[in-house]
Amino acid sequence: MNARLATMEAPVMARGAVVMAGEKVLWAGPEADLPAAHAKAEQQDMAGRLITPALIDCHTHIVHGGHRAREFEMRLEGASYEEIARAGGGIISTVAATRNASEAELLAQALPRLDALIAEGVTTIEVKSGYGLDGDTELAMLRVARRLADERPVRVRTTFLGAHAVPKGQGADSYLEEVCLPTLRKAHALGLVDAVDGFCEGIAFSPEQIARVFDVAVELGLPVKLHAEQLSHLGGTALAARYGALSADHVEYANDDDARLMAASGTVAVLLPGAYYFIRETQLPPVAAFRAHGVPMALATDCNPGSSPFTSLLLTMNMACTLFRLTPDEALRGVTVHAARALGLDDCGVIAPGKRADLAVWNVETPAELAYRIGFNPLHQRYFGGSAC
Ligand code: DI6
Ligand code: FE
């Protein structure tokens, strides 16, 4: 009661109410319309605070070993992200650190990052594998990702990203056939995979190679998503659209044709302004084309040790507005309803009857305030499946 309410399905209400029962929302709307049947329910005065759906981080690599602060220094000295990767640093150095860590260590390193997200009202995160690049470590990463949901009140969706980089000393094709695809099948058989991703880039895999991974995903009945057009235009977005991908992520180098294909296939554009900022990219994603074609835009932290060591979705929202010129309203949609869609979830991301009661209560008056401040956390309370925690 007495809340400003952004359900993401109707304009912001000045005085709204949400009725919860168990894990779900029973009713949401203007307080004046509260059905008599609910009037007797236990009430909480929100003192004019803003209620939004809880936030969803739909693209993270939060489970990984070690850090890459030395590469940060190297880039300050002039090396580019691609140069470092080609010289054996980059993703491959995190692969070594991840292989050397036990599952307990990977979990212990991931939890503080997760806690930072939760502290800002996140209740659902996606976690990718992709720093193992061998059978055992890829499975370990996925198991650790699933364990995060036992350790904290959060929902985790796991994505198999075996096609993230080519391991040292191996060819891309033999790695795919001998390691990546068999591991995908195994991880799926163990129930550890919700979706399949790849890195389609000059320093990683070609569209043809990614198509082989996607073919196995289709065979297993798993949805796909893709790191596409991050550093160059290679055709990954068109490929993703051809496979009806849930999302194409990064997409700075995507063009108007790509946006049209994504709209037709219902593929969400996941924008990652943290990575854009951190590697000092200058190519802006085609936001105007996404708007013109009606491509939903989601936002995520891309939390990873190399290109986006971020654990703040609020800062991500600010960056999406300042760097990509999204409106604060688009930014909020990007971390709620569109993020849910990028994960193929239809029970969260909006506040509506029958949806999960995953809510964030903020000490702000308008949604724009969430994107506007930097380094300040206005979260008052988070509800996860109806429980304040
Ligand atoms: N694109 C990214 O931005 C991350 N992975 C990817 O495919 C970077 C991962 C890293 O540098 O460790
Ligand atoms: Fe990523």
Side-chain angles (χ1 to χ4, degrees):
M1 308 289 287
N2 188 18
R4 293 181 169 83
L5 179 59
T7 63
M8 312 316 290
E9 291 197 329
V12 178
M13 295 163 213
R15 223 185 143 95
V18 181
V19 182
M20 300 189 284
E23 290 198 338
K24 296 201 168 153
V25 171
L26 212 53
W27 185 88
E31 209 178 288
D33 297 350
L34 183 69
H38 301 317
K40 287 195 212 79
E42 184 195 328
Q43 294 188 358
Q44 240 181 304
D45 186 342
M46 289 293 156
R49 295 187 181 93
L50 175 70
I51 301 181
T52 69
L55 307 190
I56 298 169
D57 195 350
C58 66
H59 179 143
T60 87
H61 309 250
I62 204 167
V63 173
H64 59 259
H67 65 79
R68 305 229 293 272
R70 177 58 199 137
E71 283 180 19
F72 178 54
E73 292 178 309
M74 285 163 71
R75 285 194 299 105
L76 290 172
E77 288 156 13
S80 75
Y81 180 77
E82 277 170 291
E83 280 163 5
I84 291 170
R86 289 190 193 282
I91 293 173
I92 291 302
S93 68
T94 298
V95 169
T98 303
R99 287 179 180 172
N100 282 332
S102 66
E103 288 187 35
E105 285 165 344
L106 290 176
L107 182 68
Q109 291 180 37
L111 282 173
R113 301 191 271 264
L114 176 60
D115 287 338
L117 292 172
I118 287 174
E120 289 186 349
V122 170
T123 55
T124 300
I125 68 164
E126 184 254 20
V127 183
K128 300 177 195 295
S129 71
Y131 287 120
L133 309 186
D134 64 28
D136 289 347
T137 318
E138 285 294 305
L139 295 180
M141 288 186 71
L142 294 168
R143 276 193 297 267
V144 170
R146 287 274 160 99
R147 274 185 64 192
L148 293 172
D150 301 329
E151 300 286 329
R152 296 291 186 270
V154 74
R155 191 174 184 195
V156 172
R157 302 295 283 179
T158 51
T159 300
F160 178 80
L161 178 57
H164 192 196
V166 182
K168 233 193 272 178
Q170 229 173 323
D173 290 312
S174 71
Y175 166 71
L176 286 180
E177 289 310 318
E178 289 160 28
V179 181
C180 180
L181 296 177
T183 304
L184 168 56
R185 291 178 189 282
K186 195 161 168 186
H188 171 68
L190 291 167
L192 290 172
V193 186
D194 297 316
V196 175
D197 195 349
F199 188 19
C200 187
E201 193 55 66
I203 54 171
F205 298 92
S206 69
E208 294 70 29
Q209 289 164 335
I210 295 293
R212 277 158 52 202
V213 179
F214 282 3
D215 284 338
V216 174
V218 169
E219 182 197 317
L220 300 175
L222 291 168
V224 301
K225 48 212 331 351
L226 190 63
H227 287 69
E229 323 326 341
Q230 180 186 5
L231 307 169
S232 62
H233 189 275
L234 217 66
T237 308
L239 175 82
R242 190 143 47 80
Y243 280 82
L246 289 174
S247 67
D249 301 39
H250 290 285
V251 294
E252 280 91 340
Y253 287 81
N255 59 31
D256 193 73
D257 286 342
D258 296 323
R260 197 169 31 78
L261 294 172
M262 288 171 72
S265 61
T267 300
V268 176
V270 177
L271 307 182
L272 304 168
Y276 171 93
Y277 162 84
F278 197 72
I279 64 175
R280 301 186 81 211
E281 180 57 69
T282 52
Q283 175 75 33
L284 285 163
V287 167
F290 292 145
R291 284 189 189 122
H293 293 287
V295 177
M297 291 180 280
L299 300 173
T301 60
D302 195 16
C303 175
N304 77 67
S307 69
S308 192
F310 285 83
T311 49
S312 172
L313 261 188
L314 292 176
L315 177 57
T316 301
M317 289 167 72
N318 176 275
M319 287 179 164
C321 296
T322 51
L323 300 173
F324 296 169
R325 314 314 284 169
L326 263 63
T327 66
D329 181 58
E330 286 174 323
L332 183 58
R333 302 187 79 73
V335 294
T336 55
V337 57
H338 291 163
R341 188 162 157 189
L343 295 179
L345 297 174
D346 61 7
D347 62 350
C348 59
V350 298
I351 303 175
K355 305 293 181 190
R356 282 180 59 84
D358 290 352
L359 313 176
V361 183
W362 308 95
N363 287 311
V364 304
E365 294 177 0
T366 63
E369 276 182 78
L370 296 177
Y372 142 82
R373 291 206 173 82
I374 299 177
F376 179 73
N377 182 2
L379 187 75
H380 172 70
Q381 185 63 268
R382 194 187 75 125
Y383 288 87
F384 178 63
S387 303
C389 54

